[in-house]
Amino acid sequence: MTKDISVQMKGITKRFPGVLANDRVDLTLHAGEVHGLLGENGAGKSTLMNVLFGLYEPDEGEILVNGRSATITSPATAISLGIGMIHQHFKLVRPFTVTENIILGLREGGPLLDLKAAAHRVAEVAEQYAINVDPQARIHDLSVGQQQRVEILNSLYRGANVLILDEPTAVLTPQEADDLIITLRGMAEQGKSILFISHKLEEVMKVTDRVTVLRAGQKVFESLTQDTNKQQLAQEMIGHQIRELKRGESAFVMALAGAGEDVGIEHHVLEPSRTQATLTVRDLHVNDDRDLTAVRGMSFSIHPGEVLGIAGVDGNGQRELVEAITGQRPITQGQVWLAETESTTWSTRDYIDHNVAVITEDRQKEGLVLNFDLTRNAVLKIFEHPTFAKNKLLKFNAINEFTEKLIESFNISTPNPHVAVGTLSGGNQQKLILARELSQSPSLIIANKPTRGLDIGAAAYVHQKLNDERDQGTAVLLISGDLDELFALSDRLLVMYEGQSMGILPIEKAGIEKIGLMMAGTPQSDTASA
């Protein structure tokens, strides 16, 4: 029967120049269920949901809402059909109150706006769905989790029966993510239909009733959640059997797929170091682009053969910290030392000359010159080295030979070394950055979200390389918003909140609940200072 089907998407195809984002995808959503849409980065999940919400028009296919064919040409059309979408990046006016944000753009109550009555209606909807938020609170005073509740409330207030949530836990602490799951289950029990987009197996298994897997734009798997498991979902996501991988590779793949803390990764025992710290940061203060303090009194050190992970919700000073300790942003107070040499006032060139490897957050804007070929990108930081230049003239044979060795050693898929880097896949672009940065045997690697936007296979390769470097005695500073990645690689975890350190924990003592509390601003008494 179709009466319990809220949405059907039949044969949806969406093309962009050079990309088939969705390839004849079918999806059926039932009333009162949470339906998980699972897949790697680039699998086509967000594109499919943007089609449903009217942000894109499909090139082929049909959408039925409550059994009737619907042409959804805009978000306004979607909202009128009872479809709401909560994006990763919230669409809220920060100085406004919760109520003002929710009624923004609505025409109700006649020519005069009655904010008191509107706040009362907002409170009624919030109470109905057990969403704990103050209608009079201003957005800039709310936590990220509370802001997300406002977005959900915004859709419910407009009468949404279908809610699309795009990677909703990506910006939340673990405790906020658990609260969200309770809210979603409660909404489903009241008959709402929830589309839950994710690439995290643990949360999909916890919250959904049914799960669909997309891979390379195609629907490859669908099942009731209770009839499948993490292992099966992971292999559907990546396209081959997990057991065919080497033990270390399979553990990294399961960690990257969000299978939880216990995925079989063996952490080496970190002995108390008596060696000189590779990087020391003391009482660091750094301002952001608005000249407001973004990093407040940060202190830590990293020793040879150690990965120090930095956890925290995005926007808590991580970017400013990285830029300060790589010479890209001035330090207003405090000191930075590279081994026994103070580097507080160093430029980016100074760090390059002292063989510090940096894997940037945005490989295309900061790590590579996309219209340069592989050879020029391979020596981008070291082209003045005597190996590659003499009397200010480049030695092209030496550069070509060096690049070909990197391509072979790091398994970079490319027709030849002379194609533009912009034509390579994201994974191969990241492999080139790794090859360039690691080719000089650095003593320190600063890796800022090194697997951002990569598929699981490419991300697992990056993890393995960082792990290998650590085992060879390199110090690694890993900044990531992905707790699974941090737990997979780190020996110790430092948590940042509003630019401050909430403490440092050995990985064996860093449980999800404890780290989550620290991410929300609660220091832990049993943490180490540095």
Side-chain angles (χ1 to χ4, degrees), residues 2 8 66 70 82 132 143 176 194 200 218 242 303 390 428 430 432 441 470 505:
T2 60
Q8 281 183 290
N66 297 321
N132 183 21
S143 70
E176 288 174 330
I194 313 293
K200 297 292 186 183
Q218 296 183 323
I242 300 295
H303 289 81
K390 184 177 181 181
N428 283 296
Q430 196 74 339
L432 179 60
S441 302
R470 186 276 312 275
L505 286 170

Side-chain angles (χ1 to χ4, degrees), residues 367-370 372-380 421 432 436:
L368 299 166
V369 181
L370 296 183
F372 281 12
D373 67 9
L374 275 74
T375 63
R376 296 172 76 180
N377 274 284
V379 296
L380 203 57
V421 163
L432 179 60
R436 180 186 69 208

Side-chain angles (χ1 to χ4, degrees), residues 375-376 388 393-403 418:
T375 63
R376 296 172 76 180
F388 306 118
L393 296 176
L394 295 176
K395 299 179 181 179
F396 290 106
N397 289 338
I399 293 172
N400 290 338
E401 183 179 342
F402 173 71
T403 305
H418 302 291

